[in-house]
């Protein structure tokens, strides 16, 4: 059905962001600004809930919603399309945005107008990304989210924030360039910007470039180097949305534009098999490297950042399997990860807010002083570790069932990753909330109510999405992938069986054993001396880190540029000759495609 509902969902937050900047800035004091921001959040919450609810109602009836707006002002105009997949992601992003916005009222004290206007821009842009019907609109909204996210990362305006923001914007621009180049190649080959045209492209260059760009956006190994720096630098609510939703856009792009090239129980082409292997390999590498580097961290936000990389590995592995069950597991884990990872960042943000530190060696004994934060953080930690009955257990069970038919080794790798995840969060929970409190923490109190409420709601969702796993899978996840794969049905999943109990028992046992053994051997801990150069964990971090690889590449490029600069004649004719030669080379390449 043709409707203006998708347009309103995208435009309304963007319009309100302009309203905030133009009307509120410079006219009111801090208290008045906060009240006005509360009113705006309330308006956005009601309006978005109504718009998304109406669209969900139509989608559940079996309809799809589309609309074309202003086709005369651009090559393709604003073309939006809503189906089961996009409405699920849109609702999840809105819920997480609302939790982050409410949490921020007590947490963010400076530059309120800029901060909330950027949050509104991100909300509208994310809705535009998931509703985009063609490659051009997807790209435009994708870059809008990147720019707005950059300014939120540098919100604190200190050296660390600017360095992290620089790394983020540099990597995301590289990803954007790869995606744009892919779109250009697709258009030259097919003459269209339609989503399906990526899969109809005659060669393999465009799909691979598109994949690489999405990997950067998703923070997948080895293109993840911006993520561990961006999270500690950004405000905690921004980190919650960045990890909970923004990195999912890369996975969403793969599902929306690359998915038809994968197998899905049909004879796979050579290119399809190549993409399957590539996505699965990146997924496995992200899982293992992410969780191993997380174990070595003593900064709580860097620890959570590396777990974002690891959990994205699960999602990519599910998508890369090329089966309906794998896709269902990957999508289910995308939804669940948004909930428990957003909650974890909000919990650690509450700890930082009350204590003023992110370092494990400065924390301890907070459970009596911060009972709500402790309880919700434990729920999120169990959920991300895949422990029943929480939502992470549900989606990982689907993924376990999906990979066991492909390779038992893959299931074992996933279970070991889950166990090491539990080990990492045993460390985080025990060192943060239990033990003897440090002297500076004696006067610590629980965070304000507006920070507690989003954590409580997200914790409840982690429980509900887990104990109602069968209903969520059958009613929403399978429905969301109906238009992507055929037939609609997927193999029946039994969540509460002896096999799933044994899997959970293995994860819990191995996680505790690894934690005890590593603690006894001094491999993990919170004391700084355990991470001095020469220690095992320091060496592990050094060899698994990709930063040094990129730094060496940058040094090599710098030397080459200096060498070229020393031999270059600096003549205008030479410059023009090189430009013409480059254009001719590009033309020949495009012609041969």
């Amino acid at each position: 059905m043709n409707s203006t509902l998708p347009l309103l969902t995208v435009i309304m937050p963007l319009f309100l962001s302009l309203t905030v900047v133009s009307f509120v800035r410079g006219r009111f004091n801090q208290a008045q600004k906060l009240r006005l921001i509360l009113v705006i959040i309330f308006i956005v919450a009601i309006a978005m809930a109504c718009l998304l609810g109406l669209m969900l109602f139509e989608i559940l009836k079996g309809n799809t919603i589309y609309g074309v707006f202003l086709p005369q002002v651009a090559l393709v105009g604003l073309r939006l399309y809503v189906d089961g997949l996009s409405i699920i992601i849109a609702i999840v992003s809105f819920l997480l945005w609302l939790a982050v916005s409410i949490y921020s009222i007590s947490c963010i004290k400076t530059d309120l107008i800029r901060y909330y206007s950027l949050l509104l821009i991100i909300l509208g842009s994310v809705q535009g990304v998931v509703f985009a019907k063609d490659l051009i609109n997807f790209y435009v909204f994708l870059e809008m989210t990147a720019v707005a996210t950059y300014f939120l990362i540098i919100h604190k305006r200190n050296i660390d924030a600017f360095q992290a923001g620089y790394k983020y914007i540099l990597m995301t621009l590289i990803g954007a360039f790869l995606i744009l180049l892919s779109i250009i190649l697709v258009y030259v080959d097919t003459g269209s910007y339609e989503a399906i045209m990526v899969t109809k492209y005659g060669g393999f260059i465009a799909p691979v470039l598109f994949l690489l760009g999405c990997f950067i956006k998703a923070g997948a190994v080895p293109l993840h180097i911006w993520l561990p720096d961006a999270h500690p630098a950004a405000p905690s609510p921004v980190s919650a949305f960045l990890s909970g939703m923004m990195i999912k856009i890369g996975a969403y792009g793969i599902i929306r534009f690359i998915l038809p090239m994968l197998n899905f129980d049909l004879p796979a082409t050579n290119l399809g098999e190549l993409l399957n292997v590539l996505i699965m390999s990146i997924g496995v590498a992200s899982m293992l490297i992410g969780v191993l580097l997380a174990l070595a961290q003593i900064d709580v936000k860097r620890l959570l950042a590396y777990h974002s990389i690891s959990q994205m590995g699960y999602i990519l592995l599910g998508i890369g399997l090329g089966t309906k069950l794998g896709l269902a597991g990957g999508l289910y884990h995308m939804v669940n990860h948004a909930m428990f990872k957003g909650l974890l960042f909000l919990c650690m943000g509450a700890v930082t807010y009350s204590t003023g530190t992110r370092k494990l060696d400065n924390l301890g004994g907070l459970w009596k002083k911060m009972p709500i934060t402790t309880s919700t953080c434990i729920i999120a930690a169990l959920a991300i570790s895949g422990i029943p009955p929480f939502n992470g257990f549900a989606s990982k069970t689907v993924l376990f069932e999906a990979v066991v038919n492909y390779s038992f080794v893959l299931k074992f790798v996933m279970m070991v990753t889950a166990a090491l995840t539990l080990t990492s969060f045993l460390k985080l929970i025990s060192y943060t909330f239990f033990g003897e409190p440090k002297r500076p923490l004696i006067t610590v109190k629980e965070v304000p109510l507006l920070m507690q409420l989003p954590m409580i709601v997200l914790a409840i969702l982690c429980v509900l999405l887990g104990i109602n796993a069968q209903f969520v899978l059958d009613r929403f996840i399978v429905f969301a992938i109906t238009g992507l794969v055929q037939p609609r049905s997927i193999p029946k999943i039994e969540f509460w069986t002896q096999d799933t109990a044994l899997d959970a028992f293995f994860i819990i046992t191995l996680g505790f054993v690894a934690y005890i053994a590593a603690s006894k051997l001094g491999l993990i801990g919170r004391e700084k001396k355990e991470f001095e150069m020469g220690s095992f964990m320091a060496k592990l971090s050094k060899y698994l880190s990709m930063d040094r690889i990129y730094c060496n590449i940058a040094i090599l490029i710098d030397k080459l540029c200096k060498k070229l600069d020393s031999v270059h004649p600096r003549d205008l004719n030479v410059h023009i000759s090189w430009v013409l030669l480059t254009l001719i080379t590009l033309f020949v390449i495009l012609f041969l495609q």
Side-chain angles (χ1 to χ4, degrees):
M1 60 175 286
N2 196 348
S3 173
T4 59
L5 291 176
L7 177 66
L8 292 174
T9 307
V10 174
I11 293 298
M12 185 198 63
L14 300 178
F15 173 77
L16 285 176
S17 70
L18 294 176
T19 303
V20 168
V21 172
S22 59
F23 180 71
V24 179
R25 180 183 292 274
R27 300 189 182 187
F28 305 98
N29 59 36
Q30 190 83 347
Q32 292 172 325
K33 288 178 181 178
L34 274 176
R35 286 195 291 270
L36 285 170
I37 286 169
L38 273 171
V39 171
I40 291 172
I41 291 175
F42 179 77
I43 292 171
V44 172
I46 297 299
M48 291 292 290
C50 293
L51 292 170
L52 292 173
L54 289 171
M55 287 191 287
L56 179 62
F57 179 73
E58 290 295 329
I59 297 299
L60 290 175
K61 289 197 303 184
N63 298 322
T64 55
I65 303 171
Y66 60 90
V68 180
F69 310 98
L70 303 175
Q72 67 276 10
V73 300
L75 291 174
V76 292
L78 182 58
R79 304 178 65 193
L80 303 176
Y81 175 82
V82 187
D83 59 2
L85 173 65
S86 56
I87 194 64
I88 293 297
I89 301 299
I91 290 173
V92 171
S93 67
F94 165 65
L95 291 174
L96 187 58
W97 178 90
L98 184 59
V100 164
S101 298
I102 295 172
Y103 183 97
S104 298
I105 293 170
S106 297
C107 180
I108 302 300
K109 304 297 184 183
T110 59
D111 293 329
L112 296 179
I113 304 306
R114 184 183 62 177
Y115 179 84
Y116 280 97
S117 62
L118 288 170
L119 276 185
L120 287 166
I121 290 173
I122 281 185
L123 175 62
S125 301
V126 170
Q127 303 297 309
V129 168
V130 298
F131 292 155
K133 191 177 188 300
D134 56 70
L135 291 163
I136 290 294
N137 282 289
F138 173 81
Y139 175 79
V140 170
F141 284 115
L142 186 67
E143 293 319 293
M144 287 177 64
T145 63
V147 173
T149 302
Y150 166 75
F151 285 107
L152 285 172
I153 289 173
I154 66 169
H155 179 78
K156 296 178 183 179
R157 293 184 173 273
N158 53 32
I159 296 298
D160 291 340
F162 282 119
Q163 288 179 344
Y166 175 76
K167 185 179 286 188
Y168 166 78
I169 200 67
L170 178 63
M171 290 299 295
T172 200
L173 286 176
I174 293 173
F177 172 76
L178 295 176
I179 292 174
L180 180 60
L181 184 57
S182 172
I183 293 171
I184 293 172
L185 291 174
V186 168
Y187 181 77
V188 170
D189 187 62
T190 65
S192 174
Y193 294 111
E194 290 292 331
I196 193 64
M197 291 305 170
V198 178
T199 62
K200 293 184 179 297
Y201 173 75
F204 69 91
I205 298 176
V208 172
L209 290 175
F210 196 93
L211 262 182
L212 292 175
C214 289
F215 287 154
I216 292 176
K217 300 290 185 180
V221 171
L223 305 170
H224 65 285
I225 59 168
W226 61 270
L227 196 57
D229 293 325
H231 281 308
S236 293
V238 174
S239 295
F241 196 77
L242 177 62
S243 180
M245 183 48 59
M246 296 301 294
I247 62 174
K248 307 297 189 309
I249 292 176
Y252 175 82
I254 295 173
I255 294 175
R256 179 62 75 188
F257 298 103
I258 301 296
L259 190 70
M261 304 186 74
L262 306 182
N263 183 4
F264 287 97
D265 304 329
L266 298 173
T269 63
N270 291 334
L271 178 58
E273 292 178 351
L274 171 66
L275 297 180
N276 280 121
V277 172
L278 177 60
I279 297 172
M280 290 173 63
S281 300
I282 294 294
V284 172
S286 297
M287 280 193 303
L288 292 174
I289 293 177
V291 76
L292 289 173
L293 288 173
L295 283 167
Q297 305 306 312
I298 58 173
D299 183 313
V300 295
K301 292 187 73 175
R302 287 186 70 86
L303 183 149
L304 295 181
Y306 280 112
H307 279 296
S308 294
I309 297 167
S310 180
Q311 296 302 306
M312 280 305 301
Y314 281 95
I315 296 169
L316 293 174
L317 178 58
I319 297 170
L321 285 171
T323 64
K324 295 184 287 291
L325 193 57
L327 176 60
L331 179 59
Y332 197 179
H333 202 61
M334 284 176 65
V335 173
N336 289 338
H337 183 263
M339 299 296 108
F340 59 64
K341 202 53 182 296
L343 175 56
L344 281 167
F345 271 109
L346 295 186
C347 290
M348 289 300 103
V351 170
T352 304
Y353 178 88
S354 294
T355 65
T357 182
R358 302 195 312 259
K359 302 297 183 181
L360 286 176
D361 50 313
N362 297 329
L363 297 172
L366 296 179
W367 72 274
K368 289 183 179 179
K369 301 177 182 298
M370 305 180 69
I372 299 297
T373 301
T374 303
S375 302
T376 54
C377 191
I378 290 174
I379 290 173
L382 293 174
I384 194 174
S385 302
I387 307 302
F390 304 104
N391 58 344
F393 161 78
S395 51
K396 286 184 180 180
T397 297
V398 179
L399 288 169
F400 289 161
E401 290 295 321
V403 300
V404 74
N405 296 324
Y406 184 89
S407 169
F408 181 78
V409 174
L410 275 181
K411 180 179 179 180
F412 180 76
V413 169
M414 292 175 68
M415 293 179 71
V416 169
T417 303
L420 293 177
T421 301
L422 178 61
T423 301
S424 180
F425 280 97
L426 286 172
K427 164 187 168 180
L428 178 69
I429 297 296
S430 61
Y431 289 165
T432 302
F433 298 108
F434 298 100
E436 291 298 322
K438 299 295 175 67
R439 187 177 296 276
L441 305 182
I442 294 176
T443 59
V444 167
K445 296 180 180 179
E446 184 62 272
V447 292
L449 180 61
L450 287 178
M451 294 176 70
Q452 295 180 40
L453 285 176
M455 294 191 294
I456 293 171
V457 171
L458 290 177
I460 292 172
L461 288 174
C462 287
V463 176
L464 293 178
L465 288 171
I467 62 178
N468 296 299
Q470 196 69 61
F471 173 79
V472 174
L473 180 64
D474 295 340
R475 191 70 181 92
F476 293 102
I477 303 302
V478 174
F479 176 79
I481 67 174
T482 298
L484 305 174
V485 295
Q486 296 294 337
R488 177 173 179 171
S489 62
I490 63 172
K492 186 72 173 178
I493 299 295
E494 297 291 340
F495 290 96
W496 314 106
T497 65
Q498 183 179 356
D499 289 339
T500 58
L502 289 174
D503 289 344
F505 178 76
F506 174 81
I507 291 170
I508 294 171
T509 303
L510 182 58
F512 271 96
V513 169
Y515 174 72
I516 294 170
S519 298
K520 294 292 185 182
L521 295 173
L523 300 180
I524 63 172
R526 60 179 172 182
E527 297 299 332
K528 293 179 180 177
K529 62 183 181 181
E530 296 179 1
F531 294 91
E532 294 174 351
M533 293 306 296
S535 70
F536 174 81
M537 296 308 289
K539 291 178 179 178
L540 178 67
S541 298
K542 177 182 177 181
Y543 289 119
L544 291 182
S545 174
M546 299 294 169
D547 279 327
R548 63 193 184 96
I549 297 176
Y550 287 100
C551 287
N552 289 333
I553 293 173
I555 292 171
L556 178 62
I557 292 174
D558 181 65
K559 290 181 178 179
L560 289 174
C561 290
K562 289 179 179 178
K563 186 68 174 177
L564 287 173
D565 184 66
S566 64
V567 300
H568 198 281
R570 292 182 176 85
D571 184 86
L572 180 61
N573 293 326
V574 175
H575 281 291
I576 295 174
S577 299
W578 276 110
V579 169
L580 290 175
L581 181 61
T582 302
L583 290 175
I584 292 171
T585 303
L586 289 174
F587 177 79
V588 171
I589 292 173
L590 292 174
F591 181 78
L592 293 176
Q593 294 292 322

